[in-house]
Amino acid sequence: MSCICENNQSAPGESFVCPCDRFAHPPALRIDAGLQDLPRQIAGFPEFRRAMLHTLRLKAPLRDWRATGRDDLGLMLLEMWAYLCDSLAFYDKVIAQETYLRTALRAPSLRRLVALTGYLPRPAVAATVQLAALADGRLPVTLPAGTAFRSSSPAQVFELDEDTVVHPLTNRWNIRAPHPGIIQSAYPVSLLIIAKAEIKPYALLLLLDYEKPGQNQALRVKQTTPYKGRDGQNYTKIEFQKPAELAVGTPLSRLLLLLPESNSLMGRITASLESPTDRNKRSIDNAIKTLAFVDNINFDFATVNTVNFFAASMSSDVTNPKDDLITLAIRYNTPSAGIIVDEQNETLSAQDPLYFTARMETPARGADPKEFLLQDKNYFATKVNGHIDFSTAQLVLNEGENWSPSMTNPVEVFGNIFNASRGETVRNEILGSGNASVPNQTFKLKKNPLTYLPAPAASNDQGIINTLRVYIDGVKWREVNSFYGQKPGDEVYIVRQNDEGDSLVTFGDGVRGRRLPTGRDNVVAYYRYGAGQATPPAGSINQIETPVPG
């Protein structure tokens, strides 16, 4: 029910109240500009039913009829009419929406609307994919243009755009996961080591820093536990009773962890060498024998030859040019507890060093890839540009190369990279026979949709180009956007798509563009078809259509 007066007394949240109690059907339409949906449907089933019941009393033959019974035939007929009106009002809205660009939903409607302006809709452009080939043998393998690869699900064909050479020795490599190689938190309470000796709880360890020989630390072991690293290797985790005094960023290569035995001796001595340039072992032995103390501890000269000494630093005393002094840190019966290590990074970024896990063989016959695909543990992949340093087994990226997010280790690198585009080739398809007496002969390609590929902006104003080539009596004719401006003898044709995705090839009428010459099956086409389908999942394009040697 609607009110046609302007005395609406309803308030927000209240029922509609009209003092005139007048009924109007249908209500006046109000359609503003710029809407995405047109409110054109004037009413639905309830409104039509109510409107017809309201007007029954105005009909003299039905003045005394009351629609009260459930099985009333008159009420059933009235409701059928209300249903019909509902359907007609719905279709009226749908059809009206298809007459405007902003509200049209169907592709044919859009095509007809833009055709009024002379605009040629741009067809779907074929998808492209980057593939990595794994070749056998030791010699380069040539993949000819048109080599086809098929995805498993959904089944789609991608073909090579140009001849591509791949090499078996650049198939793939594994990236060595980088290690930080530094202390990552100040005052660590534990260290990870590759153990070289049995370390028991409460054992006393000596932690040395090569660059700080005077700041050696004695650390008491709290406990040791086996530890499985992220790289799958077995390590030993040592927990200390008190934190080690190490700063963030301290290189692990500077640290040495020793396990003193019961008769161990550790300290520092300073002695003169025989000459400023004589730093050999004999001079060091003589320097040790010259001294009678090591940090005020009596030294047994009889055992000096069995001392395993460690030179932590050697420097000349420039304060006395007449004496060449050497400072030695010596240890006796202090074996290594193990090599201090850290875990590999979980992720890999473009700023990390990209070393391969194994040495590589340099291809003997020209294989120097410049493009690479990286794929991580979770099958995230990215393409990068760079080159391989075969001497150091390293992938060197070009300046500015990056990826986001960081990749999850382990990461594989593929070197035989090439591009393929969606579309399957059709060769030597006979479209029909030419007839010189018929203007604008038109033929339909048997496969659809016709494949379109991106084109340089300089080649045409649409930025795309199709893969169709048409030959008449063995002579290739030329595609144009329209016949406007074409001469009677120009061997040209136009291509248009219908609403079903078929491609129609139309030739000239003898005035604008040449008519087809008469002949039997003399109109032949070569093209690729396929575009606009759902993208196949990454990694699913793994079937080669035709065998290629190697």
Side-chain angles (χ1 to χ4, degrees):
M1 178 180 292
S2 303
C3 175
I4 61 174
C5 74
E6 298 181 358
N7 229 352
N8 186 356
Q9 299 177 1
S10 61
E14 296 182 358
S15 301
F16 181 80
V17 178
C18 178
C20 67
D21 195 25
R22 298 181 62 184
F23 180 81
H25 180 85
L29 290 178
R30 180 183 177 87
I31 303 177
D32 297 322
L35 297 178
Q36 300 289 342
D37 183 82
L38 300 182
R40 186 179 169 89
Q41 186 172 357
I42 58 176
F45 175 84
E47 292 79 16
F48 283 117
R49 181 181 184 277
R50 187 171 186 178
M52 286 190 286
L53 288 173
H54 178 80
T55 56
L56 283 178
R57 64 175 180 266
L58 303 179
K59 309 296 181 182
L62 300 175
R63 186 175 302 166
D64 298 327
W65 176 66
R66 298 291 181 268
T68 57
R70 176 181 293 270
D71 299 327
D72 193 305
L73 177 62
L75 181 60
M76 181 187 71
L77 293 174
L78 182 142
E79 290 181 343
M80 291 176 64
W81 273 108
Y83 168 77
L84 181 61
C85 292
D86 184 318
S87 298
L88 292 175
F90 168 75
Y91 285 118
D92 176 75
K93 172 185 175 178
V94 170
I95 294 172
Q97 299 226 118
E98 295 301 308
T99 59
Y100 299 92
L101 280 176
R102 189 183 296 273
T103 57
L105 300 177
R106 300 177 65 248
S109 301
L110 293 170
R111 183 181 58 80
R112 286 192 292 266
L113 287 170
V114 298
L116 296 174
T117 65
Y119 175 77
L120 184 63
R122 173 172 170 165
V125 178
T128 58
V129 64
Q130 293 166 344
L131 298 176
L134 303 178
D136 293 332
R138 297 183 56 82
L139 299 178
V141 177
T142 299
L143 301 176
T147 302
F149 304 88
R150 184 181 295 274
S151 61
S152 53
S153 179
Q156 298 183 32
V157 173
F158 290 77
E159 293 184 351
L160 277 182
D161 299 326
E162 57 186 14
D163 291 351
T164 302
V165 177
V166 299
H167 201 290
L169 296 183
T170 57
N171 280 338
R172 75 169 102 188
W173 307 272
N174 294 316
I175 292 291
R176 183 189 307 158
H179 288 251
I182 59 173
I183 296 296
Q184 298 190 67
S185 61
Y187 301 100
V189 297
S190 65
L191 290 174
L192 204 62
I193 69 168
I194 301 176
K196 290 186 175 182
E198 183 182 3
I199 304 174
K200 298 180 180 180
Y202 305 105
L204 188 64
L205 300 181
L206 182 65
L207 181 63
L208 293 86
D209 187 333
Y210 290 173
E211 293 190 2
K212 300 178 180 179
Q215 301 181 19
N216 301 336
Q217 304 176 49
L219 300 171
R220 184 73 67 179
V221 176
K222 181 179 181 180
Q223 66 175 356
T224 62
T225 54
Y227 186 87
K228 190 80 169 182
R230 287 193 289 262
D231 55 3
Q233 301 297 320
N234 294 317
Y235 301 103
T236 298
K237 184 177 183 180
I238 302 179
E239 296 183 48
F240 304 112
Q241 292 185 358
K242 66 175 184 178
E245 296 181 3
L246 294 172
V248 175
T250 302
L252 300 183
S253 58
R254 282 175 24 190
L255 303 179
L256 186 67
L257 194 63
L258 303 178
L259 179 62
E261 297 181 356
S262 58
N263 59 348
S264 296
L265 176 65
M266 294 169 287
R268 298 174 64 249
I269 60 175
T270 302
S272 62
L273 295 176
E274 294 180 351
S275 67
T277 60
D278 187 3
R279 299 178 184 272
N280 56 31
K281 183 179 184 300
R282 183 170 60 84
S283 296
I284 296 174
D285 286 342
N286 292 335
I288 295 174
K289 293 177 182 179
T290 303
L291 298 176
F293 63 91
V294 177
D295 284 353
N296 296 322
I297 300 175
N298 289 332
F299 193 85
D300 185 358
F301 294 107
T303 61
V304 71
N305 290 327
T306 64
V307 171
N308 298 318
F309 60 85
F310 171 70
S313 64
M314 291 192 297
S315 60
S316 298
D317 187 352
V318 297
T319 60
N320 188 353
K322 296 182 180 180
D323 297 326
D324 192 20
L325 304 180
I326 181 171
T327 301
L328 300 175
I330 66 170
R331 56 184 174 85
Y332 175 66
N333 285 345
T334 54
S336 172
I339 301 174
I340 300 176
V341 297
D342 57 6
E343 287 195 89
Q344 67 180 31
N345 290 344
E346 291 189 79
T347 59
L348 183 75
S349 70
Q351 288 69 46
D352 292 321
L354 304 179
Y355 289 100
F356 301 128
T357 56
R359 284 287 179 180
M360 56 179 53
E361 182 179 356
T362 304
R365 294 177 58 181
D368 188 15
K370 302 299 182 185
E371 296 180 331
F372 304 88
L373 280 180
L374 276 64
Q375 180 176 271
D376 71 359
K377 177 181 180 180
N378 298 322
Y379 300 103
F380 167 72
T382 185
K383 178 186 174 184
V384 296
N385 297 304
H387 68 276
I388 295 176
D389 187 336
F390 287 94
S391 62
T392 60
Q394 182 182 12
L395 173 60
V396 181
L397 301 181
N398 292 348
E399 185 177 355
E401 290 292 317
N402 200 359
W403 59 78
S404 181
S406 296
M407 309 186 80
T408 304
N409 289 313
V411 174
E412 283 186 306
V413 180
F414 298 88
N416 295 324
I417 307 304
F418 54 86
N419 295 324
S421 56
R422 171 85 168 91
E424 188 169 356
T425 297
V426 175
R427 295 178 175 85
N428 200 33
E429 180 179 292
I430 298 176
L431 299 183
S433 303
N435 188 340
S437 65
V438 179
N440 296 126
Q441 274 192 274
T442 299
F443 302 92
K444 183 175 74 173
L445 301 183
K446 296 178 181 178
K447 302 288 187 178
N448 73 351
L450 176 63
T451 297
Y452 281 77
L453 300 174
S459 61
N460 59 56
D461 56 358
Q462 288 189 309
I464 58 174
I465 186 171
N466 65 42
T467 55
L468 176 64
R469 292 172 294 155
V470 176
Y471 293 84
I472 311 299
D473 293 326
V475 178
K476 183 180 178 181
W477 285 32
R478 178 171 54 92
E479 180 186 353
V480 293
N481 289 333
S482 72
F483 290 122
Y484 178 77
Q486 302 299 321
K487 299 177 181 179
D490 290 343
E491 297 176 336
V492 295
Y493 61 90
I494 63 172
V495 180
R496 297 291 186 268
Q497 279 75 37
N498 61 19
D499 295 336
E500 287 73 35
D502 297 318
S503 294
L504 306 176
V505 182
T506 302
F507 296 89
D509 59 1
V511 178
R512 295 178 178 84
R514 181 185 175 185
R515 293 189 185 188
L516 284 177
T518 301
R520 181 176 178 82
D521 296 336
N522 61 336
V523 183
V524 179
Y526 296 78
Y527 61 95
R528 294 171 61 192
Y529 71 96
Q533 297 187 18
T535 303
S540 65
I541 306 175
N542 47 31
Q543 304 174 34
I544 190 167
E545 284 285 280
T546 54
V548 176

